Amino acid sequence: AAAGCDLCADGAAAGRCLTCGVRLCPFCCRAHRRQKKTASHAVTELENTKDCSQARKPLLCPSHPMEELRLFCEQCDQPVCQECVLGRHRQHPYDLTSNVIHRHGDALRKLLKNTQQHMDTLEDVLSQIDKMGSAVCSRAEAVATEICLFASGYVRAIEEHQDQLLKQLEDLKVQKENLLHLQKAQLQQLLLDMRTGVEFTEHLLMSGSDLEILITKGVVLSRLTKLNSISYSTHPSVDDRIQFCPQERAGQCCGYEVFGAVLNKVVDPARCTLHGEDLHSARQNQRTGFTLLCNDTTGERMGQGGEAVRVTITHKDKRNCAVKPTVCDNGDGTYCISYSPEEPGLYAVCVCVKGQHVQGSPFTLMVKHKFREHQGVFHCCTFCSSGGQKAARCACGGTMPGGYQGCGHGHKGHPGCHHWSCCGQVKENSECLGGPPSDTSARSLLRTVAL
């Protein structure tokens, strides 16, 4: 028999609401579509449903197999039958499934809509991920090409820099070899001349007669004296110090910054120079000094430190009196030498690099006594600064016209200008040279002071 309508229970079921899940007769189908709450429900004919057997078969209560699940318990949120309402669901709010389906269906549709939106978003994200994956692959290939181009260019730059370094090294080696060859040739010639002179002199002294020795003595002495006076270095003109500094910046090569440099400068003591305002003079117990500038064999500044610099300052009259200097390596090829002499007098200063004297070494240093302050006054004449005493005399020894002792005031005599009364110095910022002339008696001398 055909299933009955779930709403009116009078007519035979002709359709089914896909939203509510209830069977409907033709009249209830039309009413179902007209009602505001169920107007949006999808109603289909029973023969068009995918599961007609399930649509015609009523859903029975698991607790009461003879009863259909036509009611819905709001409190327990589950379908129930008539027996359930009278039993354990007593006093629970309930309603027909057809009356509550719209509310629960709307909630499901809202949740379904949100889920569908998430699905659309996820599909869009997945599409973006696929596109980004393709973009990453393309970008990686492009960057790989850039890396290969950079690396190949860098390798070419390093190889070219290597060739330049090896060329510099070869030039440096040839330069050193040439200097050594020249020095060797000069010393060999000097040695040959000395050997010839020595052999001749020995033969003369052993085999020559007294008269022959006396006749030849002058020439032999002149020759040997000249040979002995020839100066020569007791060390090789160059050393084997060739260094490679991998951390040294070497500038640009093929557009790339490269590192590594061959230190191809060799210091030449003969080209090193000394600089200082008071190179040959100093003051007792006052720290002073000068600067050593080291240059290479071509006369160019070394630009780096580390040289063996030795400085000695010894008193010429007192052998046990020496000044201990301080040598400061500035790291740029310059060296600051400072000292503080305790004894006045004449000193000999030797500055050596690699055991050889530099230009201007050795030189003489005059150490003066401590700076002496003026004891008198800087005035125009003793007559003025002594308050008009005609007997006052000035240490400069000058006189004024009219018999006045003392000078200045623009009058003729020595010095005829402003000067110190204690020693006659005409420079105001000067050191006192001492007292008046020795022939001036103490009684006639009046040291003037500032009034």
Side-chain angles (χ1 to χ4, degrees):
C5 178
D6 290 335
L7 296 183
C8 65
D10 293 335
R16 175 181 173 82
C17 179
L18 298 179
T19 306
C20 303
V22 296
R23 296 184 295 271
L24 302 171
C25 65
F27 176 78
C28 291
C29 283
R30 292 190 295 272
H32 204 66
R33 291 191 178 97
R34 286 197 298 269
Q35 290 182 2
K36 185 176 181 180
K37 293 181 179 180
T38 59
S40 60
H41 292 193
V43 179
T44 182
E45 300 293 333
L46 278 180
E47 58 268 22
N48 295 333
T49 57
K50 295 182 179 179
D51 194 355
C52 294
S53 60
Q54 289 294 330
R56 296 189 181 94
K57 187 181 296 183
L59 296 177
L60 302 178
C61 178
S63 301
H64 308 93
M66 302 300 294
E67 297 290 334
E68 289 187 48
L69 295 173
R70 297 189 175 187
L71 303 175
F72 186 81
C73 180
E74 297 286 355
Q75 182 173 331
C76 299
D77 194 30
Q78 67 179 40
V80 294
C81 67
Q82 290 286 352
E83 295 294 331
C84 292
V85 171
L86 297 176
R88 59 191 182 91
H89 293 275
R90 182 178 299 176
Q91 296 182 348
H92 289 187
Y94 68 94
D95 200 350
L96 290 173
T97 57
S98 59
N99 294 335
V100 300
I101 189 62
H102 69 278
R103 177 160 45 85
H104 294 277
D106 291 342
L108 285 175
R109 278 189 294 273
K110 184 177 181 181
L111 187 60
L112 175 64
K113 185 177 181 180
N114 291 336
T115 305
Q116 290 173 340
Q117 290 177 348
H118 283 295
M119 289 175 61
D120 295 339
T121 303
L122 289 172
E123 289 177 354
D124 183 54
V125 172
L126 288 173
S127 176
Q128 293 181 17
I129 290 175
D130 291 337
K131 293 180 180 179
M132 186 57 67
S134 301
V136 167
C137 292
S138 301
R139 185 58 187 160
E141 291 176 359
V143 172
T145 303
E146 293 179 6
I147 292 174
C148 292
L149 290 174
F150 171 81
S152 59
Y154 209 165
V155 168
R156 287 195 301 271
I158 293 175
E159 290 175 348
E160 183 172 334
H161 183 51
Q162 174 187 346
D163 294 340
Q164 293 176 358
L165 291 175
L166 294 176
K167 178 66 167 54
Q168 293 176 9
L169 180 61
E170 181 64 23
D171 293 343
L172 177 59
K173 186 190 75 168
V174 171
Q175 178 187 6
K176 286 178 176 288
E177 289 176 343
N178 290 339
L179 291 174
L180 290 174
H181 180 72
L182 176 62
Q183 183 185 19
K184 182 179 178 180
Q186 292 173 345
L187 294 181
Q188 283 177 339
Q189 184 62 44
L190 179 60
L191 178 60
L192 179 60
D193 294 342
M194 285 185 174
R195 182 177 289 116
T196 303
V198 168
E199 290 176 353
F200 178 80
T201 305
E202 288 178 345
H203 178 72
L204 177 65
L205 293 175
M206 291 179 60
S207 304
S209 63
D210 294 343
L211 185 59
E212 289 175 341
I213 293 175
L214 292 176
I215 293 175
T216 318
K217 175 180 69 73
V219 177
V220 173
L221 286 177
S222 175
R223 179 61 175 168
L224 293 181
T225 302
K226 183 177 181 181
L227 290 174
N228 289 333
S229 66
I230 297 177
S231 62
Y232 57 90
S233 174
T234 57
H235 303 278
S237 58
V238 298
D239 53 28
D240 61 346
R241 188 175 62 179
I242 301 175
Q243 297 179 347
F244 175 68
C245 293
Q247 290 84 15
E248 190 83 13
R249 292 181 178 271
Q252 296 281 333
C253 184
C254 300
Y256 295 85
E257 185 177 7
V258 292
F259 293 83
V262 176
L263 300 183
N264 56 358
K265 291 190 175 184
V266 180
V267 67
D268 186 357
R271 294 182 178 270
C272 298
T273 55
L274 300 173
H275 303 272
E277 294 182 1
D278 298 325
L279 191 62
H280 299 280
S281 64
R283 186 72 64 173
Q284 182 184 7
N285 292 333
Q286 181 177 336
R287 180 158 288 277
T288 185
F290 54 90
T291 301
L292 168 65
L293 176 59
C294 288
N295 299 318
D296 63 5
T297 54
T298 63
E300 293 184 1
R301 184 168 168 177
M302 286 294 295
Q304 61 190 18
E307 301 297 340
V309 178
R310 185 173 61 89
V311 181
T312 59
I313 305 176
T314 54
H315 202 290
K316 284 194 172 185
D317 297 328
K318 302 177 182 179
R319 295 184 178 180
N320 296 329
C321 180
V323 179
K324 187 176 182 180
T326 300
V327 180
C328 178
D329 187 350
N330 297 325
D332 58 356
T334 62
Y335 300 80
C336 291
I337 294 95
S338 59
Y339 58 93
S340 179
E342 296 181 358
E343 292 288 337
L346 206 59
Y347 286 80
V349 182
C350 297
V351 182
C352 296
V353 175
K354 295 168 55 176
Q356 302 178 48
H357 285 282
V358 301
Q359 281 189 32
S361 175
F363 63 89
T364 302
L365 171 67
M366 172 58 72
V367 177
K368 301 178 183 179
H369 287 273
K370 295 180 181 179
F371 189 86
R372 290 189 291 182
E373 301 287 343
H374 289 284
Q375 302 299 318
V377 293
F378 192 69
H379 64 176
C380 67
C381 67
T382 55
F383 184 79
C384 295
S385 58
S386 65
Q389 298 184 29
K390 297 180 180 180
R393 298 192 64 177
C394 183
C396 71
T399 59
M400 289 178 62
Y404 293 162
Q405 302 167 353
C407 60
H409 239 24
H411 300 292
K412 293 181 179 180
H414 176 77
C417 60
H418 277 71
H419 57 281
W420 286 100
S421 63
C422 51
C423 64
Q425 281 274 58
V426 295
K427 290 184 178 180
E428 186 173 6
N429 297 323
S430 60
E431 181 184 10
C432 185
L433 298 180
S438 58
D439 59 347
T440 305
S441 63
R443 186 173 182 180
S444 65
L445 174 65
L446 176 63
R447 293 192 177 277
T448 54
V449 295
L451 300 179

